[in-house]
Amino acid sequence: MKKNEFQGLGLAKPLVSRLSKRNHTNPTPIQNQAIPSLLEGKDLLGIAQTGTGKTGAFSLPVLQKILDLNWGINPHRPKVLVLAPTRELAIQIGQEIEAYKSGLPIRHAVIFGGVSQIKQVEALKRGVHIIIATPGRLLDLKMQGQLKLSEVKIFVLDEADRMLDMGFIRDIKKIVPALPTVRQSLMFSATMPPKIARLAEELLVEPVRVEVSPQAKPIEQVAQYVCRVPASRKRRVLEEIVAHPNCERVIVFVKMKHRTNRIADQLQKVAIETASINGNKSQNARQTALRRFKEGQIQVLVATDIASRGIDVHGITHVINYDLPNEPEAYVHRIGRTARAGKLGTAISLCDDDDVHQLRTIEKLIGEKIPLVQERGIRQLLEKGAGGSSPKVQKKKTRNKMR
């Protein structure tokens, strides 16, 4: 039986056993660096994107501390608070914790808006060790007296830069004063703009800094391409791309909510199983679409940037930017949905005349030119499958086609 290297990080046998059952034997780089320090009670600043194993990096030490220190539960008073920017990410973190703690005497609850609060309040009344919450619903329940943060011993702020993008920093600054002054604090962010760096200084005390990839750099396993396409032809080109057999599981990103439904309907009409998610859809509709996408019942998911982080779907072969995002950092997070767990992936951006400025800011951020592929060359590109031969080789092959 293969040795489980998590045990060497100081994790207890019950957790290592559960990891082994999930075939998790080798820690990711962030887990290797973070877990020992967190078990020692140190604060931590982690610079890492989703898909790097950061949920395990903080949840495994949290679970072990609950067991080792025999933390009890009191109604309405959790011991651990994990803040996430979106309900999808909160649910995902909750699912990971559920898998890690299976069979252990540890309770958790996931709290987010857009649904009835009745079940969430009932869970808090029974008492939980851990809550994973979005800021808005957390503040609502706190104001109602359903939640008290006076016994929180570990505070985790996940995807802090996304919190900034979504305007949640003000909410966070309302939440933090309600926490005990003496606590262990963890903060994770994919990028470190000045406002996030200042927030880290306010929240963390002599933190261990863990950085597993360069800031705002796409992972190397993603082959990136730009196709200059007039706006009037984008839909037709998109159809041609997703109809290719090598596009097995695809996320299409757009800017506007109404466009997700329109594009999904268009693809359905040409017999491509498609669903859409955006902020106007109900929580149940969004979760149903994600479940069907994860289970392979649909081939294409059309989404706004609400899905660019916090959704961990394995096996995504292609990311298509139907529209380039206004914020260049969002591009990095979008294309990070593919090439997970060491696999290759392809990102194709359809760029019309109105997108050229965004393209230039993205290239400036990532520090490289994105290779141009002509519309007539897309099929040849898709024939190579996810990732092509390799991102670096592809760049050399397409360089003479650059404008």
Side-chain angles (χ1 to χ4, degrees), residues 221-222 246-253 290 293-294 299-301 307 311-320 334-340 343-347 386-387:
Q221 289 87 348
V222 181
N246 284 336
C247 291
E248 298 172 9
R249 186 172 292 178
V250 183
I251 292 186
V252 177
F253 283 109
L290 284 172
F293 187 56
K294 288 181 179 180
Q299 176 194 350
V300 180
L301 185 68
I311 296 178
D312 191 6
V313 179
H314 295 287
I316 293 173
T317 56
H318 294 75
V319 169
I320 310 299
R334 284 181 179 189
I335 71 171
R337 299 308 93 210
T338 187
R340 316 279 274 192
K343 294 185 178 180
L344 299 177
T346 299

Side-chain angles (χ1 to χ4, degrees), residues 92 118 165 318 395:
Q92 178 188 314
I118 293 173
D165 293 343
H318 294 75
K395 286 174 187 176

Side-chain angles (χ1 to χ4, degrees), residues 336-362:
R337 299 308 93 210
T338 187
R340 316 279 274 192
K343 294 185 178 180
L344 299 177
T346 299
I348 301 173
S349 298
L350 306 182
C351 179
D352 62 34
D353 290 343
D354 291 336
D355 292 325
V356 173
H357 175 71
Q358 286 101 309
L359 175 62
R360 295 291 174 255
T361 60
I362 289 167

Side-chain angles (χ1 to χ4, degrees), residues 167-201:
F168 286 141
I169 295 299
R170 186 174 297 176
D171 288 345
I172 292 168
K173 291 188 175 181
K174 292 178 182 177
I175 292 166
V176 170
L179 301 172
T181 304
V182 178
R183 63 179 187 269
Q184 184 178 12
S185 298
L186 292 61
M187 183 169 140
F188 294 88
S189 186
T191 59
M192 285 297 292
K195 285 187 179 180
I196 296 302
R198 288 195 294 271
L199 182 64
E201 290 178 3

